[in-house]
């Protein structure tokens, strides 16, 4: 990846388009938002694949992610809470619990931050 300086931050050109990154939201996504979204969406993608392998009919997954930051330590991210609203037909709660455990073990982004950032994941079935 390559990033170039611009007024108020940096940008990168990718096959899907341009990504603007800045500490000021007027100029792009904030770096901590990128980190949190990477963890949340990676988890969501892994969860989706696992649920499909378990032959559950998932129609939609909505993800909500919240980060707790420590102002006294360079505003570092201390924890990320991820919540999945899973919509589908005849979803099995016990299987989803198993899928959530597998998700945490198999998401590269979660595994990359474990030990320095606490990651908790919850879900709700929406039918």
């Amino acid at each position: 990846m390559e990033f170039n300086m611009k007024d108020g931050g940096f940008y990168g050109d990718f096959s899907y388009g341009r990504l603007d990154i800045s500490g000021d939201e007027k100029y792009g996504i904030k770096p901590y938002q990128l980190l949190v979204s990477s963890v949340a969406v990676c988890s969501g993608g892994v969860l989706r694949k696992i649920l499909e392998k378990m032959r559950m009919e998932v129609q939609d997954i909505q993800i909500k992610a919240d980060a707790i930051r420590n102002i006294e330590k360079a505003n570092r991210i201390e924890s990320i809470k991820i919540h999945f609203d899973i919509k589908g037909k005849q979803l099995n709660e016990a299987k989803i619990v198993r899928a959530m455990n597998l998700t945490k073990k198999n998401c590269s982004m979660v595994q990359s931050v474990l030990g320095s950032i606490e990651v908790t994941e919850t879900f709700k079935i929406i039918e």
Side-chain angles (χ1 to χ4, degrees), residues 9-49:
F10 292 84
Y11 71 92
D13 288 312
F14 297 92
S15 58
Y16 67 87
R18 179 175 159 149
L19 175 64
D20 291 292
I21 306 166
S22 173
D24 184 340
E25 282 184 304
K26 291 187 294 188
Y27 300 103
I29 189 167
K30 290 184 171 189
Y32 94 90
Q33 292 169 320
L34 257 173
L35 178 69
V36 173
S37 62
S38 293
V39 172
V41 173
C42 177
S43 286
V46 172
L47 177 62
R48 179 182 186 175
K49 285 180 188 176

Short mmCIF file of all heavy atoms in Angstrom, two decimals, residues 9-49:
data_model
loop_
_atom_site.label_atom_id
_atom_site.label_comp_id
_atom_site.label_asym_id
_atom_site.label_seq_id
_atom_site.Cartn_x
_atom_site.Cartn_y
_atom_site.Cartn_z
N GLY A 9 -4.28 15.51 5.77
CA GLY A 9 -4.10 14.08 5.98
C GLY A 9 -3.36 13.39 4.87
O GLY A 9 -2.44 13.94 4.27
N PHE A 10 -3.81 12.18 4.58
CA PHE A 10 -3.20 11.35 3.55
C PHE A 10 -4.28 10.66 2.74
O PHE A 10 -5.44 10.60 3.15
CB PHE A 10 -2.29 10.28 4.19
CG PHE A 10 -1.07 10.86 4.84
CD1 PHE A 10 -1.13 11.36 6.14
CD2 PHE A 10 0.13 10.92 4.16
CE1 PHE A 10 -0.01 11.92 6.74
CE2 PHE A 10 1.26 11.48 4.75
CZ PHE A 10 1.19 11.97 6.05
N TYR A 11 -3.90 10.11 1.58
CA TYR A 11 -4.85 9.33 0.79
C TYR A 11 -4.11 8.17 0.13
O TYR A 11 -2.89 8.20 -0.05
CB TYR A 11 -5.55 10.19 -0.27
CG TYR A 11 -4.67 10.62 -1.41
CD1 TYR A 11 -4.59 9.84 -2.57
CD2 TYR A 11 -3.92 11.77 -1.33
CE1 TYR A 11 -3.76 10.24 -3.62
CE2 TYR A 11 -3.10 12.17 -2.36
CZ TYR A 11 -3.02 11.40 -3.51
OH TYR A 11 -2.20 11.78 -4.54
N GLY A 12 -4.88 7.15 -0.19
CA GLY A 12 -4.36 6.01 -0.93
C GLY A 12 -5.30 5.70 -2.07
O GLY A 12 -6.52 5.83 -1.93
N ASP A 13 -4.74 5.32 -3.20
CA ASP A 13 -5.56 4.91 -4.35
C ASP A 13 -5.58 3.39 -4.41
O ASP A 13 -4.52 2.75 -4.42
CB ASP A 13 -5.00 5.49 -5.65
CG ASP A 13 -5.24 6.99 -5.75
OD1 ASP A 13 -6.38 7.42 -5.51
OD2 ASP A 13 -4.28 7.72 -6.07
N PHE A 14 -6.79 2.84 -4.44
CA PHE A 14 -6.97 1.39 -4.46
C PHE A 14 -7.83 1.02 -5.66
O PHE A 14 -8.44 1.88 -6.28
CB PHE A 14 -7.62 0.93 -3.16
CG PHE A 14 -6.76 1.21 -1.95
CD1 PHE A 14 -6.91 2.39 -1.24
CD2 PHE A 14 -5.80 0.30 -1.55
CE1 PHE A 14 -6.11 2.66 -0.13
CE2 PHE A 14 -4.99 0.56 -0.46
CZ PHE A 14 -5.14 1.74 0.26
N SER A 15 -7.89 -0.26 -5.96
CA SER A 15 -8.66 -0.70 -7.13
C SER A 15 -10.13 -0.28 -7.05
O SER A 15 -10.75 -0.03 -8.06
CB SER A 15 -8.55 -2.21 -7.30
OG SER A 15 -9.00 -2.88 -6.15
N TYR A 16 -10.70 -0.17 -5.86
CA TYR A 16 -12.09 0.24 -5.69
C TYR A 16 -12.27 1.75 -5.70
O TYR A 16 -13.37 2.26 -5.86
CB TYR A 16 -12.68 -0.32 -4.39
CG TYR A 16 -12.05 0.30 -3.17
CD1 TYR A 16 -12.53 1.49 -2.64
CD2 TYR A 16 -10.94 -0.29 -2.57
CE1 TYR A 16 -11.92 2.07 -1.55
CE2 TYR A 16 -10.35 0.28 -1.48
CZ TYR A 16 -10.83 1.45 -0.97
OH TYR A 16 -10.23 2.04 0.11
N GLY A 17 -11.17 2.49 -5.50
CA GLY A 17 -11.26 3.95 -5.45
C GLY A 17 -10.27 4.53 -4.45
O GLY A 17 -9.35 3.86 -3.99
N ARG A 18 -10.50 5.77 -4.08
CA ARG A 18 -9.59 6.52 -3.21
C ARG A 18 -10.06 6.43 -1.76
O ARG A 18 -11.25 6.54 -1.47
CB ARG A 18 -9.56 7.97 -3.67
CG ARG A 18 -8.68 8.86 -2.84
CD ARG A 18 -8.62 10.23 -3.45
NE ARG A 18 -8.21 11.22 -2.46
CZ ARG A 18 -7.51 12.30 -2.76
NH1 ARG A 18 -7.19 12.55 -4.01
NH2 ARG A 18 -7.18 13.16 -1.83
N LEU A 19 -9.10 6.29 -0.85
CA LEU A 19 -9.38 6.29 0.59
C LEU A 19 -8.65 7.47 1.20
O LEU A 19 -7.42 7.57 1.11
CB LEU A 19 -8.91 4.99 1.23
CG LEU A 19 -9.03 4.91 2.75
CD1 LEU A 19 -10.50 4.98 3.19
CD2 LEU A 19 -8.38 3.62 3.26
N ASP A 20 -9.41 8.40 1.79
CA ASP A 20 -8.84 9.56 2.47
C ASP A 20 -8.81 9.27 3.97
O ASP A 20 -9.82 8.87 4.55
CB ASP A 20 -9.68 10.81 2.19
CG ASP A 20 -9.56 11.24 0.74
OD1 ASP A 20 -8.47 11.68 0.36
OD2 ASP A 20 -10.56 11.12 0.01
N ILE A 21 -7.65 9.52 4.58
CA ILE A 21 -7.44 9.25 6.01
C ILE A 21 -6.90 10.50 6.67
O ILE A 21 -5.97 11.13 6.16
CB ILE A 21 -6.44 8.09 6.20
CG1 ILE A 21 -6.89 6.85 5.41
CG2 ILE A 21 -6.28 7.75 7.68
CD1 ILE A 21 -5.82 5.81 5.26
N SER A 22 -7.51 10.86 7.81
CA SER A 22 -7.09 12.07 8.50
C SER A 22 -7.53 12.02 9.96
O SER A 22 -8.53 11.40 10.29
CB SER A 22 -7.72 13.29 7.83
OG SER A 22 -7.45 14.47 8.57
N GLY A 23 -6.80 12.71 10.81
CA GLY A 23 -7.21 12.87 12.19
C GLY A 23 -8.40 13.81 12.32
O GLY A 23 -9.02 13.92 13.37
N ASP A 24 -8.74 14.50 11.23
CA ASP A 24 -9.87 15.44 11.19
C ASP A 24 -10.90 14.90 10.20
O ASP A 24 -10.62 14.77 9.01
CB ASP A 24 -9.36 16.81 10.75
CG ASP A 24 -10.43 17.89 10.75
OD1 ASP A 24 -11.64 17.56 10.73
OD2 ASP A 24 -10.05 19.08 10.77
N GLU A 25 -12.09 14.60 10.69
CA GLU A 25 -13.13 13.98 9.85
C GLU A 25 -13.52 14.82 8.64
O GLU A 25 -14.14 14.31 7.72
CB GLU A 25 -14.37 13.66 10.68
CG GLU A 25 -14.21 12.41 11.50
CD GLU A 25 -15.47 12.04 12.26
OE1 GLU A 25 -15.97 12.89 13.02
OE2 GLU A 25 -15.93 10.91 12.09
N LYS A 26 -13.18 16.10 8.63
CA LYS A 26 -13.47 16.92 7.44
C LYS A 26 -12.68 16.44 6.23
O LYS A 26 -13.06 16.68 5.10
CB LYS A 26 -13.12 18.39 7.70
CG LYS A 26 -14.02 19.09 8.69
CD LYS A 26 -13.73 20.57 8.76
CE LYS A 26 -12.35 20.82 9.30
NZ LYS A 26 -12.04 22.23 9.58
N TYR A 27 -11.55 15.75 6.50
CA TYR A 27 -10.65 15.36 5.42
C TYR A 27 -10.61 13.85 5.14
O TYR A 27 -9.94 13.43 4.21
CB TYR A 27 -9.23 15.85 5.72
CG TYR A 27 -9.15 17.34 5.85
CD1 TYR A 27 -9.05 17.94 7.10
CD2 TYR A 27 -9.19 18.16 4.73
CE1 TYR A 27 -8.98 19.32 7.23
CE2 TYR A 27 -9.12 19.53 4.84
CZ TYR A 27 -9.02 20.12 6.10
OH TYR A 27 -8.95 21.47 6.22
N GLY A 28 -11.27 13.06 5.96
CA GLY A 28 -11.25 11.61 5.72
C GLY A 28 -11.59 10.82 6.97
O GLY A 28 -11.86 11.38 8.03
N ILE A 29 -11.57 9.52 6.82
CA ILE A 29 -11.84 8.63 7.95
C ILE A 29 -10.67 8.71 8.93
O ILE A 29 -9.51 8.81 8.52
CB ILE A 29 -12.09 7.18 7.46
CG1 ILE A 29 -12.57 6.29 8.60
CG2 ILE A 29 -10.86 6.60 6.78
CD1 ILE A 29 -13.12 4.95 8.14
N LYS A 30 -10.97 8.68 10.22
CA LYS A 30 -9.93 8.75 11.22
C LYS A 30 -9.23 7.39 11.33
O LYS A 30 -9.86 6.35 11.16
CB LYS A 30 -10.53 9.13 12.58
CG LYS A 30 -11.01 10.56 12.66
CD LYS A 30 -11.50 10.88 14.05
CE LYS A 30 -11.79 12.37 14.19
NZ LYS A 30 -12.06 12.73 15.59
N PRO A 31 -7.94 7.40 11.64
CA PRO A 31 -7.21 6.13 11.74
C PRO A 31 -7.84 5.14 12.72
O PRO A 31 -7.92 3.95 12.43
CB PRO A 31 -5.81 6.56 12.19
CG PRO A 31 -5.65 7.92 11.60
CD PRO A 31 -7.02 8.54 11.74
N TYR A 32 -8.32 5.62 13.89
CA TYR A 32 -8.92 4.68 14.84
C TYR A 32 -10.21 4.08 14.26
O TYR A 32 -10.53 2.91 14.51
CB TYR A 32 -9.14 5.33 16.21
CG TYR A 32 -10.50 5.91 16.44
CD1 TYR A 32 -11.53 5.14 16.98
CD2 TYR A 32 -10.78 7.24 16.10
CE1 TYR A 32 -12.79 5.68 17.19
CE2 TYR A 32 -12.03 7.77 16.30
CZ TYR A 32 -13.03 6.99 16.85
OH TYR A 32 -14.28 7.52 17.05
N GLN A 33 -10.95 4.87 13.46
CA GLN A 33 -12.16 4.34 12.84
C GLN A 33 -11.82 3.24 11.84
O GLN A 33 -12.55 2.27 11.70
CB GLN A 33 -12.93 5.47 12.14
CG GLN A 33 -13.53 6.49 13.08
CD GLN A 33 -14.05 7.72 12.35
OE1 GLN A 33 -13.44 8.20 11.40
NE2 GLN A 33 -15.19 8.23 12.82
N LEU A 34 -10.71 3.41 11.15
CA LEU A 34 -10.24 2.38 10.21
C LEU A 34 -9.92 1.09 10.95
O LEU A 34 -10.29 0.00 10.51
CB LEU A 34 -8.98 2.86 9.50
CG LEU A 34 -9.12 3.36 8.08
CD1 LEU A 34 -7.81 3.95 7.60
CD2 LEU A 34 -9.55 2.26 7.16
N LEU A 35 -9.24 1.21 12.08
CA LEU A 35 -8.89 0.03 12.86
C LEU A 35 -10.14 -0.68 13.37
O LEU A 35 -10.29 -1.90 13.21
CB LEU A 35 -7.97 0.40 14.03
CG LEU A 35 -7.59 -0.75 14.95
CD1 LEU A 35 -6.67 -1.72 14.23
CD2 LEU A 35 -6.92 -0.24 16.20
N VAL A 36 -11.05 0.08 13.96
CA VAL A 36 -12.28 -0.50 14.49
C VAL A 36 -13.11 -1.13 13.37
O VAL A 36 -13.62 -2.25 13.52
CB VAL A 36 -13.10 0.55 15.29
CG1 VAL A 36 -14.47 -0.01 15.69
CG2 VAL A 36 -12.32 1.01 16.52
N SER A 37 -13.23 -0.44 12.25
CA SER A 37 -14.02 -1.00 11.15
C SER A 37 -13.36 -2.25 10.58
O SER A 37 -14.04 -3.19 10.19
CB SER A 37 -14.26 0.05 10.06
OG SER A 37 -13.06 0.49 9.49
N SER A 38 -12.03 -2.29 10.55
CA SER A 38 -11.34 -3.48 10.07
C SER A 38 -11.64 -4.69 10.95
O SER A 38 -11.93 -5.78 10.45
CB SER A 38 -9.83 -3.25 10.04
OG SER A 38 -9.49 -2.30 9.08
N VAL A 39 -11.60 -4.50 12.25
CA VAL A 39 -11.90 -5.59 13.19
C VAL A 39 -13.36 -6.01 13.05
O VAL A 39 -13.67 -7.21 12.94
CB VAL A 39 -11.57 -5.17 14.64
CG1 VAL A 39 -12.06 -6.21 15.64
CG2 VAL A 39 -10.07 -4.95 14.81
N ALA A 40 -14.27 -5.05 13.01
CA ALA A 40 -15.70 -5.35 12.96
C ALA A 40 -16.10 -6.05 11.66
O ALA A 40 -16.81 -7.06 11.66
CB ALA A 40 -16.52 -4.07 13.14
N VAL A 41 -15.64 -5.53 10.53
CA VAL A 41 -16.06 -6.07 9.24
C VAL A 41 -15.36 -7.41 8.96
O VAL A 41 -15.97 -8.30 8.36
CB VAL A 41 -15.83 -5.03 8.12
CG1 VAL A 41 -16.10 -5.63 6.76
CG2 VAL A 41 -16.73 -3.83 8.36
N CYS A 42 -14.13 -7.56 9.41
CA CYS A 42 -13.46 -8.86 9.28
C CYS A 42 -14.27 -9.90 10.06
O CYS A 42 -14.55 -10.99 9.54
CB CYS A 42 -12.03 -8.78 9.81
SG CYS A 42 -11.14 -10.36 9.78
N SER A 43 -14.66 -9.58 11.28
CA SER A 43 -15.47 -10.50 12.08
C SER A 43 -16.78 -10.81 11.38
O SER A 43 -17.22 -11.97 11.34
CB SER A 43 -15.77 -9.90 13.46
OG SER A 43 -14.63 -9.93 14.27
N GLY A 44 -17.42 -9.79 10.84
CA GLY A 44 -18.68 -10.00 10.14
C GLY A 44 -18.53 -10.90 8.93
O GLY A 44 -19.37 -11.78 8.69
N GLY A 45 -17.47 -10.73 8.18
CA GLY A 45 -17.23 -11.57 7.00
C GLY A 45 -16.97 -13.02 7.38
O GLY A 45 -17.49 -13.95 6.75
N VAL A 46 -16.17 -13.23 8.42
CA VAL A 46 -15.88 -14.58 8.89
C VAL A 46 -17.16 -15.22 9.43
O VAL A 46 -17.46 -16.38 9.13
CB VAL A 46 -14.75 -14.58 9.94
CG1 VAL A 46 -14.58 -15.96 10.57
CG2 VAL A 46 -13.44 -14.13 9.31
N LEU A 47 -17.91 -14.47 10.23
CA LEU A 47 -19.17 -14.98 10.77
C LEU A 47 -20.11 -15.40 9.65
O LEU A 47 -20.72 -16.48 9.70
CB LEU A 47 -19.83 -13.93 11.67
CG LEU A 47 -21.19 -14.30 12.25
CD1 LEU A 47 -21.09 -15.53 13.15
CD2 LEU A 47 -21.78 -13.11 13.02
N ARG A 48 -20.23 -14.58 8.65
CA ARG A 48 -21.11 -14.88 7.52
C ARG A 48 -20.72 -16.21 6.85
O ARG A 48 -21.57 -17.05 6.58
CB ARG A 48 -21.04 -13.74 6.51
CG ARG A 48 -21.89 -13.92 5.29
CD ARG A 48 -21.69 -12.74 4.36
NE ARG A 48 -22.60 -12.80 3.24
CZ ARG A 48 -22.70 -11.85 2.33
NH1 ARG A 48 -21.97 -10.76 2.43
NH2 ARG A 48 -23.54 -11.97 1.34
N LYS A 49 -19.42 -16.39 6.60
CA LYS A 49 -18.95 -17.62 5.96
C LYS A 49 -19.23 -18.84 6.83
O LYS A 49 -19.66 -19.88 6.34
CB LYS A 49 -17.45 -17.53 5.68
CG LYS A 49 -17.10 -16.66 4.52
CD LYS A 49 -15.59 -16.62 4.32
CE LYS A 49 -15.22 -15.59 3.28
NZ LYS A 49 -13.77 -15.46 3.12
#
